Amino acid sequence: MELTQLRCFLTVADELHFGHASQKLEMHPSALGRYIKLLEASLGTRLLSRSTRNVALTAHGALFLEEAREIVSRADQLQLRFQKLARQNSGHLRIGAIDSAAISLIPLLLHIFREKWPDVEVQIMEDKTSKLLPKLKSGRLDLIFIRPPEKMDSELENKFLFYEDIVLAIYDQHPISQKDEIHADDLINVPMIVPERKVRPHSYDLTMDLFNGVDFKPQLIKISDEKQTIINMVAAELGAAIMPRWVSRMSVPSVKFIPLAKEYVSIRKKLPISAVWVKDSRDETRDNMMVIVMQELERISRQY
């Protein structure tokens, strides 16, 4: 019986769906199935009953679930504890950031941080919120800058920093490209390029929320989840996209960026940036970085 097998079992038990569980674990469904079979073989009993459509816990699976959860939790806590011990006075800081934070926030912070602590080795990992959070909890990252989920894990400390401003990206020869600001009604015949919600929920929701209260259904095109690709699709006249303002710094010919009308206050609160770290953990290097974040917060937020 291995920890990997237990993690696979717990994820399937939570999702009750092999496809969803394999996506969450970033694992091929066939590999997930093998881990479950190996676990069941080592225990000598079935933990899950499976049909073509449904997955359910067997009686033994329900009994095994909570103890398996406790074993994995204790293993994670043990790993995190010793990683923290190893890091004390190690002169390392591992930061994770979503693209919005990586483009402006991190370079500014690093410039100031290196002037004060030039001997500290800083490592940066850019990724999506959904992938940075597990790395933080497992001890592979010390501090992350993300879009905070609606329900934050109780083991994590969340410090809200600011909301990003939002613009419409549109082909510069489009009839509405000459407007000074954009209203939802302006987009009645404009295809909107959006990412998959499960990959970038904040980005998808802010586009959909813009159309609340209008008497038409927006035309949606799901082409890519990456901002650079979406902007290139806008340049190719495939549609428009609601995006963070920082994207306007990308050098893309034929694309114009127009702010939303001032009355869309609630939409502007759809792209929060937070700093997150493990609660009750001692880390002087991380705390030094957060001191800089708070000192520079007003200047940083103006760039967004």
Side-chain angles (χ1 to χ4, degrees):
M1 185 171 66
E2 300 176 356
L3 277 175
T4 301
Q5 296 168 2
L6 294 180
R7 294 185 197 280
C8 290
F9 167 71
L10 292 177
T11 306
V12 175
D14 289 340
E15 299 291 330
L16 293 178
H17 191 287
F18 268 81
H20 295 165
S22 61
Q23 287 180 354
K24 193 169 184 178
L25 291 165
E26 298 182 0
M27 178 185 295
H28 197 278
S30 62
L32 175 59
R34 284 196 298 273
Y35 279 118
I36 298 296
K37 288 179 181 178
L38 287 170
L39 176 61
E40 291 176 328
S42 70
L43 296 173
T45 187
R46 291 284 297 277
L47 301 175
L48 299 165
S49 61
R50 306 184 274 281
S51 67
T52 54
R53 294 186 177 181
N54 299 314
V55 178
L57 289 167
T58 64
H60 285 173
L63 286 172
F64 185 70
L65 177 61
E66 291 310 313
E67 293 197 47
R69 203 181 298 280
E70 183 179 351
I71 290 171
V72 171
S73 177
R74 289 179 63 187
D76 287 343
Q77 290 172 14
L78 183 64
Q79 179 186 31
L80 186 59
R81 179 178 147 208
F82 277 86
Q83 285 175 335
K84 289 176 184 175
L85 288 173
R87 283 204 63 250
Q88 287 181 1
N89 301 318
S90 64
H92 288 76
L93 181 62
R94 299 162 300 175
I95 297 175
I98 61 171
D99 51 8
S100 292
I103 196 75
S104 290
L105 174 63
I106 298 301
L108 175 60
L109 295 177
L110 284 183
H111 177 73
I112 300 171
F113 185 85
R114 287 189 183 281
E115 287 184 341
K116 295 186 175 183
W117 294 281
D119 296 329
V120 173
E121 179 184 344
V122 181
Q123 299 173 351
I124 306 297
M125 175 184 292
E126 182 179 338
D127 214 328
K128 299 177 179 65
T129 293
S130 61
K131 294 186 178 181
L132 293 174
L133 281 167
K135 291 181 174 65
L136 177 68
K137 289 185 63 178
S138 68
R140 285 177 284 173
L141 292 172
D142 308 307
L143 176 66
I144 60 175
F145 296 93
I146 60 169
R147 305 241 186 264
E150 293 181 3
K151 185 177 180 181
M152 183 63 70
D153 193 303
S154 60
E155 297 177 10
L156 302 179
E157 192 76 34
N158 171 34
K159 177 63 179 179
F160 167 77
L161 300 180
F162 53 83
Y163 293 108
E164 291 189 64
D165 206 351
I166 296 166
V167 296
L168 176 80
I170 194 162
Y171 181 61
D172 65 3
Q173 298 302 309
H174 192 281
I176 69 171
S177 67
Q178 302 308 309
K179 289 182 173 290
D180 295 325
E181 60 181 22
I182 292 294
H183 296 80
D185 289 337
D186 297 328
L187 305 172
I188 187 169
N189 294 314
V190 180
M192 301 300 299
I193 304 172
V194 295
E196 289 286 346
R197 190 184 189 280
K198 64 182 180 182
V199 179
R200 294 189 182 273
H202 286 87
S203 296
Y204 179 89
D205 288 348
L206 74 87
T207 299
M208 298 308 297
D209 289 349
L210 178 63
F211 294 96
N212 287 341
V214 300
D215 57 1
F216 65 91
K217 188 175 180 180
Q219 305 173 45
L220 301 183
I221 303 175
K222 297 179 183 179
I223 297 176
S224 173
D225 301 320
E226 302 305 324
K227 292 181 175 63
Q228 182 66 62
T229 304
I230 291 175
I231 288 296
N232 288 335
M233 297 301 106
V234 171
E237 303 181 60
L238 293 179
I242 301 295
M243 311 202 79
R245 189 180 69 166
W246 70 263
V247 177
S248 62
R249 301 174 197 166
M250 292 183 178
S251 179
V252 182
S254 305
V255 176
K256 186 172 181 181
F257 298 92
I258 310 172
L260 298 187
K262 292 180 175 58
E263 61 260 33
Y264 293 107
V265 176
S266 62
I267 303 297
R268 287 192 169 86
K269 294 186 177 181
K270 291 294 180 180
L271 291 183
I273 295 285
S274 282
V276 181
W277 61 94
V278 176
K279 188 178 292 183
D280 300 325
S281 61
R282 296 178 59 187
D283 188 330
E284 183 179 352
T285 305
R286 179 205 64 208
D287 293 343
N288 288 337
M289 175 61 82
M290 281 305 301
V291 168
I292 292 174
V293 171
M294 301 314 297
Q295 288 175 343
E296 299 295 324
L297 186 56
E298 183 178 354
R299 181 158 68 107
I300 292 169
S301 60
R302 286 200 298 267
Q303 298 186 28
Y304 286 88

